[in-house]
Amino acid sequence: MATVLLIITVVLTALIAGLFYAYSCSVVLGLGKLSDAEYLKAMQSINREILNPIFFISFMGTAILLPVSTFFLRGEQPVFIFLLLATLAYLIGVFGVTVAGNVPMNDQLNQFDISASTAEAVKQMRDNFENRWNFLNNIRTVFSVISITLAVCACIWHKEL
């Protein structure tokens, strides 16, 4: 049971790390080449579409299963330490940054009416949004890669595998 739980946890963690990594090294670069209005429209669309069951299962599933796996493997060293560190990295650097940083910015952008705004207001919204949002996303990327690395280490040292 603990082995299956650990494998599911690692797969979900890997999916989230891959999502943020791919976004940081491809999507951001493509979006950066768009005009201000095109960029904001694209981000509004992406931010709306990511709110789907598949994303929630992997994003929230990781936030739940990392601590659960840590608890179930608390007596197994060094697996417990790897999972505890993976959990902390995920909950603070991925989940926490998302909830406290990216989501409020996404909500603010979602309420912004691009078509009813002047070119200057659109430019100002992009200037206020893009660099900060990308910075926060890069933090999530780093911490999700740290989380998956630690979770894989837990798998390597787990006795039942």
Side-chain angles (χ1 to χ4, degrees):
M1 176 68 176
T3 299
V4 172
L5 178 64
L6 184 57
I7 290 169
I8 293 168
T9 301
V10 168
V11 168
L12 290 180
T13 307
L15 289 171
I16 289 299
L19 172 85
F20 290 129
Y21 173 77
Y23 202 92
S24 288
C25 68
S26 63
V27 176
V28 165
L29 301 174
L31 291 174
K33 299 197 181 321
L34 298 175
S35 72
D36 294 339
E38 291 172 326
Y39 171 84
L40 294 177
K41 286 178 188 175
M43 284 300 295
Q44 284 177 335
S45 180
I46 289 168
N47 290 338
R48 290 177 187 136
E49 293 305 316
I50 200 156
L51 301 176
N52 66 71
I54 301 295
F55 172 74
F56 282 122
I57 288 169
S58 50
F59 184 73
M60 297 302 293
T62 303
I64 293 165
L65 290 182
L66 274 170
V68 168
S69 295
T70 303
F71 176 79
F72 274 104
L73 293 162
R74 66 190 177 277
E76 192 176 323
Q77 299 295 332
V79 174
F80 171 76
I81 298 300
F82 286 130
L83 288 174
L84 179 62
L85 293 173
T87 299
L88 292 172
Y90 188 83
L91 291 178
I92 296 167
V94 180
F95 190 83
V97 168
T98 300
V99 170
N102 294 88
V103 169
M105 292 181 73
N106 293 347
D107 291 344
Q108 182 182 17
L109 178 60
N110 189 48
Q111 295 172 3
F112 185 71
D113 186 352
I114 299 165
S115 60
S117 299
T118 66
E120 181 57 36
V122 168
K123 181 182 180 343
Q124 183 176 9
M125 174 56 93
R126 181 178 185 169
D127 289 345
N128 292 337
F129 183 87
E130 185 176 22
N131 288 335
R132 183 167 184 257
W133 196 95
N134 288 343
F135 175 73
L136 293 173
N137 191 65
N138 287 336
I139 291 171
R140 297 186 303 182
T141 301
V142 168
F143 278 93
S144 63
V145 170
I146 289 168
S147 292
I148 186 56
T149 301
L150 291 164
V152 167
C153 287
C155 278
I156 291 169
W157 274 275
H158 181 54
K159 293 175 184 152
E160 293 179 30
L161 290 178

